Each structure stands twice: as C-alpha cells, then as structure tokens.
Amino acid sequence: MKGLSIFAGNSNPVLSDMISGYLAKPLGRLKVDRFSDGETQVEIQENVRKQEIFVIQSTCNPVNDNLVELLLMIDAFKRSSASRITAVIPYFGYSRQDKKVSPRVPISAKLVADLLENTGVHRVITMDLHAGQIQGFFNCPVDNLYAAPVIIDDIKARYPENLVVVSPDAGGVERARAYAKRLNAGLAIVDKRRSAPNKAKAMAIIGDVQDKIAIVIDDMVDTAGTLTEAASVIVDNGANAVHAYCTHPVLSGPAIDRINKSSLSSLVATDTIPLSEEAKLCGKIETLSIAKLVGEAIVRSYRGDSVNSLFV
C-alpha cells in the first residue's frame, strides 16, 4: 500500500492510532494548531503528491471546530496534488437535521455534504448514519459502515439466551429487527412521544419483555432522555435487566447523571466518539472499538474490493 497515506485530525486520536496500528501504516505528519485569534491552522509536513489520502476525523464535540479542521485538511491535501481524498468520518455530525420538519429551518446534513464535496472530497467512509438518506446528499460515493458485527459479537458473548431486542422509538424499529434476527431474539418497541428536541417521554411497550434480558439498540445516545425513559418503562413491564448498546456516545448535557440514576444496568458504546472524563468515570459505560472495521474498510476501498462483504 505504498500509494496510500493516512492522516488524522484532533477529534479522536486514540481511534486514529488504533486504525493506524491495524493497517501497520504510521499516521502522516500533520500540524493542526490555532492562530492567536482562535482560527485553525493546518500544515502538511510531508510530500503527498499523487498519494491516495485517507483523513480520519469525527465531527463530534466541539463539532464546529472539528468540522472546520476537517475541511481545512481536505483543502490542504487537494492543493498539495493528492490523487484522491477520502474523508473517514466515524461520527458524522449535523446528521439529525436531514429534512425540513418545520418551516424556516436548514437541512444541515445536506449543507455539510456540500461543504465536504466542494472542498475536494472524492469519497466518504462513515458509520451508522442517523438517517440512511444522507448518503443521497452526496454526489461522490459514500460507504456507510455498520457497527452491528462488533456489537452483535459482544452481545452473544455476554448474553447467550433469554434476550429481547428493544427499539427505543418507532424510528429505530428496522435497526432493532435486524439485530433481533441475527441474535435469534424477540423484538419489542417503546412507544414514545417527543415534545421538543432532546425532550422525550416514553409511554408504553409494544411486545413482550416479561422475565427477559432487554437489549436496547440505538445509533446514538445524546442527552440520554429517550434511553433512560425507555429503560424505566421496560423494567416496569417485567424485564429482568436492561442493557443498552449504541454506536455514537454523544452523551451531552445531563446524560451521565441520567444514566447513573436510571434503571439501566449498562451502556456499551463504540469509540467513534471519545468518552469525556465524566463518562469514563461512570461505572455503567463501556466501550467497544471499531478500529479493525474501519481499517478493513480503508484497505478494501484502496484496493477496490467490496466493503459490503464485511457485513455478510
């Protein structure tokens, strides 16, 4: 893979190092700093002419800083005559505004897609997009990876039987059904009403969770309102225990406090987003690494092999 170079921004250095280790390819030399007024400064410190570049950057908190950092890195590679630039974005920020849900609001996911393409991206590799249609916002190829293989292996190892997979809302039913099928488990749905962004009230359970180990599956946990409300209702309906799995541990605002006080026994998340210090101290939160999955996707993308076969 002599024609391949891997670079990483500041958003998730631990994951970037693990991907680099899996590929046995050191990260490229890149300076990402700040001018005295807070503007981002980027400088590539090695020759990338005619190289195929993979730049790893999650657009997580601080979202705007990490997004601008990614855009500036892409522009620097383009102006340094890289042959192709692939943005590896384990967590794609601004993905929740993917349509107009009320008058006079932006479609933020489309705007970010346009920014990336206009800056010079040729391909995007991301994971568990909040809405699948975001792939259609790009004119370049998008590989939307799934954390399911990593999560399912962990669930099978911990809880071999007596499972029911629970979707925390109606929007996640397709995801939960796919997990339930592969785990040979039952399926239940939490009927939820959302009064405002980041505010939810769980109402009832559709399905049987009595005397079961409930596994709540979601793509992201932000303020944890939906998750903790769901856990409470599941326990009230007779479940023996409630364990949650998610791909993106956003965990903002009161999330950690809610998780600590909730009926949840555990929350297992992948490392698309680095945990805050507060989250690391929470005894209920654990992480799984998706470094091998992303690393293998990079290799297959570079060689022109199928990425889809990773999930068959």
Side-chain angles (χ1 to χ4, degrees):
M1 297 189 292
K2 290 183 178 179
L4 178 151
S5 293
I6 308 164
F7 291 83
N10 291 326
S11 68
N12 199 337
V14 174
L15 176 61
S16 301
D17 287 340
M18 292 177 70
I19 294 171
S20 169
Y22 175 79
L23 297 173
K25 189 93 174 172
L27 293 172
R29 297 192 305 277
L30 179 70
K31 176 184 176 183
V32 181
D33 209 340
R34 293 285 185 273
F35 290 107
S36 60
D37 64 350
E39 291 181 4
T40 301
Q41 178 189 17
V42 171
E43 181 184 344
I44 304 164
Q45 298 181 318
E46 62 183 67
N47 180 24
V48 295
R49 189 177 293 270
K50 301 302 180 184
Q51 289 283 299
E52 183 160 347
I53 303 298
F54 290 82
V55 54
I56 304 167
Q57 178 84 328
S58 280
T59 49
C60 52
N61 185 49
V63 183
N64 296 337
D65 287 352
N66 286 329
L67 177 59
V68 170
E69 194 175 292
L70 175 59
L71 295 172
L72 291 175
M73 287 189 290
I74 293 165
D75 187 70
F77 291 124
K78 179 181 71 174
R79 296 177 188 280
S80 300
S81 300
S83 63
R84 280 172 53 84
I85 304 166
T86 299
V88 181
I89 311 173
Y91 171 65
F92 189 90
Y94 284 111
S95 61
R96 281 170 287 187
Q97 284 187 295
D98 59 334
K99 56 184 176 293
K100 287 193 69 174
V101 294
S102 60
R104 298 174 295 281
V105 297
I107 303 179
S108 307
K110 170 60 175 168
L111 175 61
V112 172
D114 288 344
L115 287 170
L116 289 166
E117 281 201 295
N118 291 333
T119 305
V121 154
H122 297 95
R123 176 182 290 270
V124 172
I125 295 175
T126 187
M127 178 161 284
D128 277 324
L129 284 170
H130 190 61
Q133 67 263 26
I134 293 173
Q135 295 173 82
F137 294 169
F138 290 87
N139 292 314
C140 67
V142 176
D143 292 320
N144 183 28
L145 308 179
Y146 300 99
V150 175
I151 291 175
I152 286 171
D153 286 348
D154 190 75
I155 294 173
K156 286 179 176 178
R158 294 180 192 235
Y159 317 108
E161 58 185 15
N162 198 32
L163 296 182
V164 58
V165 176
V166 182
S167 171
D169 54 31
V173 173
E174 185 178 352
R175 182 187 303 108
R177 184 184 292 116
Y179 276 82
K181 181 179 179 181
R182 294 180 66 176
L183 291 166
N184 194 29
L187 176 66
I189 305 162
V190 177
D191 177 35
K192 181 190 72 176
R193 301 290 186 267
R194 187 183 293 276
S195 59
N198 299 126
K199 292 184 180 180
K201 178 67 178 177
M203 303 295 288
I205 292 285
I206 301 169
D208 180 21
V209 297
Q210 182 74 37
D211 299 324
K212 301 280 189 180
I213 296 173
I215 306 294
V216 181
I217 300 291
D218 211 347
D219 63 325
M220 73 168 69
V221 176
D222 187 358
T223 60
T226 297
L227 179 61
T228 53
E229 286 280 354
S232 178
V233 173
I234 293 166
V235 169
D236 289 345
N237 279 264
N240 290 339
V242 182
H243 302 273
Y245 282 80
C246 75
T247 304
H248 309 299
V250 179
L251 301 177
S252 65
I256 305 302
D257 185 54
R258 285 174 172 173
I259 290 168
N260 280 325
K261 294 176 179 177
S262 73
S263 304
L264 276 177
S265 298
S266 68
L267 168 61
V268 182
T270 73
D271 55 354
T272 59
I273 298 173
L275 294 181
S276 65
E277 291 304 316
E278 186 184 8
K280 290 176 184 177
L281 295 174
C282 178
K284 292 185 177 183
I285 299 176
E286 303 174 48
T287 57
L288 301 171
S289 182
I290 44 85
K292 286 180 63 176
L293 197 59
V294 175
E296 187 61 27
I298 289 173
V299 171
R300 296 186 182 204
S301 177
Y302 175 70
R303 292 177 175 170
D305 297 334
S306 170
V307 172
N308 185 61
S309 60
L310 284 171
F311 312 105
V312 175

